[in-house]
Amino acid sequence: MRGLLATSGAAAIILAFATQNLLGGVIAGMSLQISKPYKVGDWLRVGEDFAEVMEINWRSTRLRTNDAIYLDIPNNEIVRQTIINLHYPQQLHAMRIVVGVEYSAPPNKVKDALLQATLQAEWVQKEPPPRVFLKDFGDFAIYYEIKFWMLSHENYNNVCDAIRTNIWYKFKRQNITIPFPIRTLEINRKTITKPQELHNQTKAILEGEPLFSCLTGDQVDHLIRGSRTVRFGRGERIIEQGAEGASMFVLLHGAAAVSVSQNGSMIRVSSLRMGDCFGEMSLLTGEKRTATVRAEEDCEVIEIAKPAMAAVLRDAPECVTQLSELLAARKMETEGLPKDLAQSAAEETKAREYRATFLRRLRSVFEL
């Protein structure tokens, strides 16, 4: 009798659990039918799985992955999870890919290459346009994240394959490297001279600039050796109007825009290209920057600072007088008095005053 009672009790417990699971599944199924968080044909992310909804019944939801693997998830389990419906409220949704790139590659160059590779991939939507973000600085690579938009998640593997394939070929053509996980021992030694090609390029530009026409070849060489090469990314300000400045710049690569602030608005006044010099008035006279120069492309410039210029002028004091005359002539031109026209006595007096003023400034700035 006791054995019969014990068996009956165990059967009742098993039946209770089974009934509980069954009722829980039915109730969950009813909840899904009423709230309709997803429908047949939607793509869901459940946990780490991406899958298409194939069937919804009172007991379970049946899903199919991109690998044609079916997942039969009881409704009372699926309602306990965070469900991401990639097709709600519309099929258009964004996905992301992370790519590691060597540290020596300029970020804007990498971003442009990644963007072009993504736009050329099939199934990537043109609107909204893809975007590329610098995500993190890793141990051996800079990580970039590509955000792109697609319609059916059924093509996700194909899209990722197309983007990554395009990236490989794009990087090969532009000499951008995806690094291995390595450690590099870098020994820094002081460089006495700049690479010869860069040095020669800078020298040719400076010798063609009237401000430096009074310098000998050796003096120009000395000026370049005392300068430094600086990179600016697209959109960065190289100099800013109103800021203190004690250097000038030679644009070696890239393009930049010159703007001035008027009545609270920035007015573009000119453009700078390879070989152009700018910022010389602040270097030579100590005046604040009179305009803002912003990089329109990734730019590489040579910055000539006050100490290097002072060392050259101390060796060539005759240049101070020539520089004062050039600066005075530029000042007269900005006031609408071209230097090649005959000047009245009043204009000649003003020119002499400007020459004297600039001569005093030069001697004061460079402590000559």
Side-chain angles (χ1 to χ4, degrees):
M1 186 66 178
R2 290 180 180 176
L4 179 60
L5 290 174
T7 303
S8 300
I13 293 173
I14 294 172
L15 181 61
F17 275 113
T19 303
Q20 182 183 14
N21 289 334
L22 177 62
L23 288 175
V26 171
I27 293 172
M30 292 176 61
S31 173
L32 292 174
Q33 293 290 340
I34 293 171
S35 61
K36 297 185 184 301
Y38 53 80
K39 63 183 184 299
V40 173
D42 284 352
W43 276 83
L44 309 181
R45 179 174 182 176
V46 183
E48 296 300 319
D49 295 312
F50 290 94
E52 183 182 8
V53 179
M54 304 303 294
E55 180 185 347
I56 309 169
N57 55 49
W58 294 105
R59 187 191 66 83
S60 65
T61 297
R62 181 168 293 181
L63 308 175
R64 183 181 65 186
T65 69
N66 267 326
D67 297 321
I69 296 174
Y70 282 82
L71 308 173
D72 197 51
I73 305 177
N75 290 329
N76 59 339
E77 290 186 17
I78 201 169
V79 294
R80 296 194 192 105
Q81 303 185 47
T82 299
I83 303 171
I84 300 175
N85 189 342
L86 301 176
H87 284 189
Y88 181 83
Q90 57 182 353
Q91 287 191 353
L92 184 68
H93 61 282
M95 299 300 295
R96 297 169 187 261
I97 292 178
V98 176
V99 180
V101 178
E102 63 180 354
Y103 268 87
S104 61
N108 284 327
K109 179 180 179 181
V110 175
K111 288 181 180 181
D112 288 343
L114 291 174
L115 186 60
Q116 292 167 17
T118 303
L119 284 169
Q120 291 169 5
E122 193 175 0
W123 298 295
V124 170
Q125 298 300 301
K126 301 301 185 289
E127 292 293 335
R131 297 192 63 187
V132 179
F133 305 94
L134 196 158
K135 182 179 177 65
D136 196 12
F137 295 101
D139 290 337
F140 57 88
I142 299 178
Y143 291 100
Y144 297 85
E145 184 177 67
I146 305 169
K147 178 181 178 181
F148 61 93
W149 296 82
M150 55 186 299
L151 291 173
S152 175
H153 202 79
E154 180 180 4
N155 296 317
Y156 178 66
N157 290 340
N158 293 328
V159 171
C160 291
D161 172 74
I163 293 175
R164 291 189 175 108
T165 300
N166 289 349
I167 288 172
W168 191 93
Y169 285 104
K170 182 71 70 175
F171 279 9
K172 276 292 182 182
R173 288 193 294 272
Q174 298 192 16
N175 295 319
I176 300 173
T177 301
I178 299 176
F180 296 100
I182 58 175
R183 293 291 184 271
T184 302
L185 177 62
E186 194 170 296
I187 301 174
N188 290 322
R189 294 186 176 90
K190 186 176 180 180
T191 302
I192 298 175
T193 58
K194 296 181 181 296
Q196 194 60 40
E197 183 179 350
L198 179 62
H199 183 99
N200 292 341
Q201 179 186 2
T202 307
K203 185 175 182 179
I205 294 171
L206 293 181
E207 288 180 336
E209 171 62 38
L211 286 174
F212 302 105
S213 61
C214 60
L215 300 180
T216 65
D218 289 341
Q219 289 168 340
V220 173
D221 288 335
H222 184 79
L223 187 63
I224 296 171
R225 285 193 290 269
S227 66
R228 65 179 184 135
T229 305
V230 189
R231 283 184 174 182
F232 290 90
R234 181 178 58 232
E236 282 194 286
R237 293 180 180 181
I238 303 175
I239 60 174
E240 188 169 0
Q241 184 175 352
E244 300 289 342
S247 63
M248 66 168 290
F249 300 87
V250 180
L251 185 57
L252 298 179
H253 300 288
V258 182
S259 304
V260 296
S261 177
Q262 293 182 358
N263 301 321
S265 300
M266 294 301 294
I267 309 299
R268 180 173 177 144
V269 294
S270 65
S271 299
L272 298 173
R273 298 292 176 186
M274 184 176 69
D276 288 338
C277 300
F278 58 96
E280 65 275 9
M281 290 299 289
S282 293
L283 169 64
L284 297 175
T285 67
E287 295 178 356
K288 292 184 178 181
R289 304 293 188 188
T290 58
T292 295
V293 177
R294 186 189 298 270
E296 291 191 310
E297 305 171 1
D298 281 11
C299 290
E300 185 175 16
V301 301
I302 289 287
E303 183 178 16
I304 301 173
K306 177 181 172 182
M309 191 67 187
V312 170
L313 291 180
R314 279 194 290 270
D315 288 339
E318 68 280 1
C319 282
V320 178
T321 302
Q322 294 184 37
L323 284 173
S324 65
E325 292 175 353
L326 282 169
L327 293 174
R330 288 189 177 185
K331 179 73 171 176
M332 296 288 285
E333 288 180 29
T334 59
E335 294 180 355
L337 300 172
K339 61 182 179 180
D340 55 344
L341 294 183
Q343 296 179 343
S344 65
E347 290 167 352
E348 179 59 34
T349 300
K350 181 181 290 188
R352 283 197 301 271
E353 291 176 355
Y354 283 157
R355 287 194 291 269
T357 299
F358 282 121
L359 185 60
R360 286 194 300 272
R361 284 189 186 180
L362 287 166
R363 287 173 174 168
S364 173
V365 167
F366 295 104
E367 300 177 358
L368 301 174

